Amino acid sequence: MLPETAYQIVHDESMLDGNARLNLATFVSTWMDESANKLYSEAFDKNAIDKDEYPATARVETNCWHMLADLWHAPDPDNAIGCSTTGSSEACMLGALALKRRWQEKMKKLGKSTAHPNLIMSSAVQVCWEKFCNYFDVEPRYVPISLEHKVLDGYDLEKYVDENTIGVIAIMGVTYTGMYEPVKDIAKALDKIEKDTGLDIPIHVDAASGGMIAPFIQPELEWDFRISRVYSINTSGHKYGLVYPGLGWVVWRSTAHLPESLIFKVSYLGGEMPTFALNFSRPGAQILLQYWAFLRYGYNGYKTVQQSTMDVANHLADEINKMDMFTLWNHPTDIPVFAWMLKESPNRKWTLYDLSDRLRMKGWQVPAYPMPINLTDITVQRIVVRNGLSMDLADRFLDDIKSQVKYLESLEHKMPKNNTRSFRH
């Protein structure tokens, strides 16, 4: 068919996706300005893996993770090592693979078995951690969250670790609620375990969201390489790094913390290059967009953008908390994400799932989902505020949620029962 015809067919079908800017479920960036869009269109054809053909893009990639190493207080940023990825899921897996390989090498030197590695994490981890354990034969050990311990905070940690523990995952911005896990408290618990048992357990920080929020909004918070037990950190360039999707980053404390045995020397298109990744060919454009964002905003610019996003999130949380039928699970004091619950009422004829469906009719995507293990009887609704959701749009959303709640409260009969849906993104 004619290229214009093919374009029209795909264009028309994709319209059914709705407006990405109104998607309050996703953490992924949905807006960049026109200069970034122009740069993106000029770099569609760059392959990030081909460092011999695109050496300038390779240098930009190196510049970016060195800047992140400095932002995250690596002891010697010039001696840190890192790489870009297609997103935080790949970055998490690379960080965990390094933990596993270091553990294997240590156990072999001690003449011990490497057959049963395990990884400690909260029951509220993102699904990529379950995938890692499944794909790479590691036993996941979940520390359940509770109403008393809403995040992994070091409580009862000694019950889960042993000599086969490759590491502990600390999350800076839990997917379910946006809350930070206190990395410093987790490290203190591991310090006590080491003192009592001799077990030296490292930490990988999954800072998919918080890694680009905390340095600007909570700079005094110690969660990064200032804590010696933190070996590696990942973040999503395509979340609060303010770049279009598919870009992640992972940085190790130093070159000594990334086992040499995991790095491949590849002969490719006339050159030899080291590579450590799960993917091979992948877009280079997002790497350039990340460098553009670092240059465009700088430290003060990122601080301004992230604070503006936090202001919108706090405004939304305050207004939703004023509504009699809701109770906040958390306030957006960490990243600009918060969740709320529906108060129990014997006469209520609707659920948060019904409200989610009603808001979708207005174009808004606001997910409702059960909390993880031990709290599955609690359903929450969650909003992710990103750059591009202005205060005006937020007020429009509040008008819509109030009008839909008013409609649901006026029902004379119960809404048809929705099938509850698990939430794993």
Side-chain angles (χ1 to χ4, degrees):
M1 62 181 67
L2 292 171
E4 294 85 1
T5 306
Y7 165 81
Q8 196 63 51
I9 291 172
V10 178
H11 172 80
D12 290 350
E13 290 209 18
S14 68
M15 285 196 304
L16 299 175
D17 281 338
N19 189 328
R21 292 276 295 283
L22 303 184
N23 183 356
L24 303 186
T26 185
F27 284 81
V28 175
S29 295
T30 54
W31 181 86
M32 294 188 79
D33 75 18
E34 286 306 312
S35 296
N37 292 337
K38 180 182 178 183
L39 180 62
Y40 199 5
S41 68
E42 294 169 355
F44 285 146
D45 57 350
K46 291 184 185 290
N47 183 3
I49 200 66
D50 189 358
K51 293 176 171 54
D52 188 62
E53 184 70 18
Y54 304 113
T57 299
R59 284 194 297 272
V60 165
E61 178 185 14
T62 301
N63 286 344
C64 286
W65 59 254
H66 273 303
M67 294 168 81
L68 290 172
D70 183 60
L71 183 69
W72 295 335
H73 300 95
D76 179 6
D78 292 335
N79 192 42
I81 189 167
C83 64
S84 66
T85 63
T86 53
S88 262
S89 291
E90 182 187 3
C92 287
M93 292 191 188
L94 295 181
L97 275 173
L99 292 179
K100 182 182 178 183
R101 183 59 57 87
R102 283 179 60 87
W103 171 83
Q104 288 174 322
E105 292 175 352
K106 179 182 73 174
M107 295 296 276
K108 286 177 182 177
K109 286 180 181 178
L110 296 172
K112 295 185 177 182
S113 170
T114 60
H116 303 290
N118 66 72
L119 184 64
I120 312 301
M121 63 195 84
S122 158
S123 61
V125 290
Q126 210 264 1
V127 71
C128 73
W129 289 107
E130 297 177 40
K131 287 183 177 181
F132 168 80
C133 291
N134 187 342
Y135 296 167
F136 295 99
D137 293 323
V138 174
E139 176 198 351
R141 293 188 177 176
Y142 299 111
V143 181
I145 65 170
S146 65
L147 293 176
E148 294 76 27
H149 302 276
K150 290 185 175 182
V151 294
L152 176 66
D153 56 11
Y155 177 74
D156 271 354
L157 199 55
E158 67 279 0
K159 296 180 180 179
Y160 296 87
V161 303
D162 57 32
E163 69 173 359
N164 293 320
T165 300
I166 66 174
V168 173
I169 305 305
I171 309 171
M172 287 292 288
V174 174
T175 303
Y176 285 84
T177 61
M179 297 174 69
Y180 289 159
E181 294 183 338
V183 183
K184 195 171 184 179
D185 291 347
I186 295 170
K188 285 181 180 178
L190 290 172
D191 289 342
K192 184 177 187 306
I193 289 170
E194 182 177 9
K195 182 179 179 181
D196 294 341
T197 67
L199 296 174
D200 183 9
I201 310 295
I203 294 173
H204 172 86
V205 179
D206 180 358
S209 297
M212 295 304 293
I213 295 288
F216 307 105
I217 304 300
Q218 305 104 355
E220 73 290 341
L221 181 65
E222 294 183 27
W223 63 273
D224 50 19
F225 292 123
R226 283 171 287 186
I227 299 170
S228 61
R229 207 170 280 277
V230 173
Y231 279 24
S232 50
I233 301 172
N234 69 272
T235 198
S236 286
H238 64 216
K239 293 180 181 174
Y240 291 105
L242 308 182
V243 174
Y244 287 134
L247 180 68
W249 298 97
V250 58
V251 178
W252 285 268
R253 182 180 199 86
S254 72
T255 52
H257 291 83
L258 175 60
E260 181 70 24
S261 59
L262 286 173
I263 300 173
F264 284 81
K265 299 293 192 299
V266 181
S267 177
Y268 184 59
L269 297 181
E272 184 178 89
M273 61 182 185
T275 177
F276 177 40
L278 300 181
N279 291 290
F280 199 68
S281 293
R282 56 188 175 82
Q286 282 86 346
I287 294 171
L288 298 180
L289 289 180
Q290 184 71 87
Y291 198 44
W292 173 90
F294 286 170
L295 296 174
R296 163 69 180 89
Y297 296 115
Y299 182 90
N300 289 331
Y302 264 96
K303 182 177 181 179
T304 299
V305 170
Q306 311 300 36
Q307 185 60 60
S308 175
T309 306
M310 291 289 286
D311 291 344
V312 172
N314 277 285
H315 173 61
L316 286 170
D318 289 343
E319 293 302 311
I320 288 173
N321 197 38
K322 290 176 184 177
M323 300 175 70
D324 292 338
M325 63 289 302
F326 298 135
T327 300
L328 291 186
W329 174 271
N330 66 295
H331 209 274
T333 54
D334 295 333
I335 63 175
V337 174
F338 67 97
W340 66 90
M341 301 170 287
L342 188 61
K343 292 179 183 176
E344 290 188 11
S345 172
N347 299 318
R348 181 159 292 120
K349 300 175 178 63
W350 56 279
T351 68
L352 289 177
Y353 294 105
D354 299 318
L355 177 57
S356 180
D357 289 341
R358 295 293 305 182
L359 289 171
R360 189 178 287 266
M361 295 178 190
K362 293 288 188 178
W364 303 102
Q365 294 185 50
V366 186
Y369 49 88
M371 293 296 282
I373 302 167
N374 284 12
L375 294 174
T376 52
D377 58 328
I378 296 176
T379 298
V380 299
Q381 203 157 18
R382 188 204 67 192
I383 281 179
V384 178
V385 179
R386 304 179 307 280
N387 187 31
L389 182 68
S390 65
M391 200 67 83
D392 287 342
L393 269 178
D395 284 336
R396 179 62 60 87
F397 170 76
L398 288 169
D399 290 342
D400 286 338
I401 194 172
K402 289 173 183 176
S403 67
Q404 296 312 308
V405 166
K406 183 177 180 181
Y407 166 81
L408 291 167
E409 287 284 271
S410 71
L411 293 174
E412 295 182 3
H413 304 285
K414 283 192 174 183
M415 293 286 286
K417 189 174 181 181
N418 257 330
N419 290 325
T420 58
R421 295 157 287 188
S422 63
F423 179 76
R424 305 303 299 149
H425 179 62

